[in-house]
């Protein structure tokens, strides 16, 4: 996600937010938009974390085989996993980072990402 967030195509909107762990510290919620794609990140003084995304454009790839517009069988082959319905959920064991690949008529229509943010 961080690689996608660096793409210069995005229109950027910033909103200050109080840091809930440190008094008198202001962080930033950054929303990056491009056509049917939106990424939301939390920016602290020295780091920025994407915690939510909806990718609806083929301009952004998760890897060489997974991007909007890819056929379901190509994703199945690249993941070595049969996809039995129109939503494939991929996450780590703690479910702190989850990707939902959403298919329609055998084509990947959107990718949604939910990441954990404390």
């Amino acid at each position: 996600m961080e690689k996608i967030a660096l793409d210069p195509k995005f229109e950027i909107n910033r909103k200050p937010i109080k840091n809930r762990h440190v008094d008198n510290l202001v962080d930033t919620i950054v929303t990056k938009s491009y056509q049917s794609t939106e990424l939301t990140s939390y920016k602290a003084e020295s780091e920025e974390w994407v915690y939510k995304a909806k990718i609806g454009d083929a301009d952004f790839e998760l890897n060489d085989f997974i991007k909007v517009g890819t056929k379901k069988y190509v994703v199945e082959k690249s993941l070595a996993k049969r996809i039995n319905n129109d939503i494939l959920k991929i996450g780590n064991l703690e479910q702190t980072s989850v990707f939902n690949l959403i298919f329609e008529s055998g084509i990947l229509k959107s990718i949604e990402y939910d990441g954990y943010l404390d």
Side-chain angles (χ1 to χ4, degrees):
M1 270 305 132
E2 280 70 25
K3 182 181 129 188
I4 292 171
L6 295 174
D7 196 299
K9 293 178 181 138
F10 287 109
E11 178 181 309
I12 300 171
N13 184 8
R14 292 177 174 83
K15 178 182 169 189
I17 186 169
K18 288 176 79 173
N19 184 302
R20 62 180 174 218
H21 299 293
V22 180
D23 291 337
N24 300 319
L25 182 62
V26 177
D27 293 328
T28 307
I29 298 294
V30 180
T31 304
K32 297 180 178 185
S33 305
Y34 174 78
Q35 296 180 7
S36 299
T37 298
E38 184 172 284
L39 281 66
T40 306
S41 60
Y42 189 93
K43 183 172 181 0
E45 270 185 304
S46 61
E47 293 187 67
E48 184 172 344
W49 303 271
V50 174
Y51 68 90
K52 186 175 183 176
K54 182 170 183 181
I55 301 170
D57 299 287
D59 297 34
F60 308 105
E61 301 176 341
L62 285 185
N63 64 26
D64 292 336
F65 303 102
I66 301 175
K67 67 179 183 178
V68 170
T70 302
K71 293 182 184 329
K72 186 188 271 189
Y73 75 86
V74 173
V75 175
E76 288 175 329
K77 189 172 181 177
S78 70
L79 297 175
K81 178 167 180 55
R82 177 97 172 109
I83 303 170
N84 295 320
N85 56 36
D86 286 339
I87 298 177
L88 175 63
K89 184 176 184 176
I90 302 170
N92 59 14
L93 293 174
E94 297 84 25
Q95 296 295 301
T96 57
S97 183
V98 176
F99 289 90
N100 288 304
L101 307 183
I102 301 165
F103 295 89
E104 187 177 297
S105 301
I107 304 290
L108 183 58
K109 289 296 180 184
S110 68
I111 301 165
E112 295 178 359
Y113 170 77
D114 287 309
Y116 174 77
L117 185 64
D118 177 23

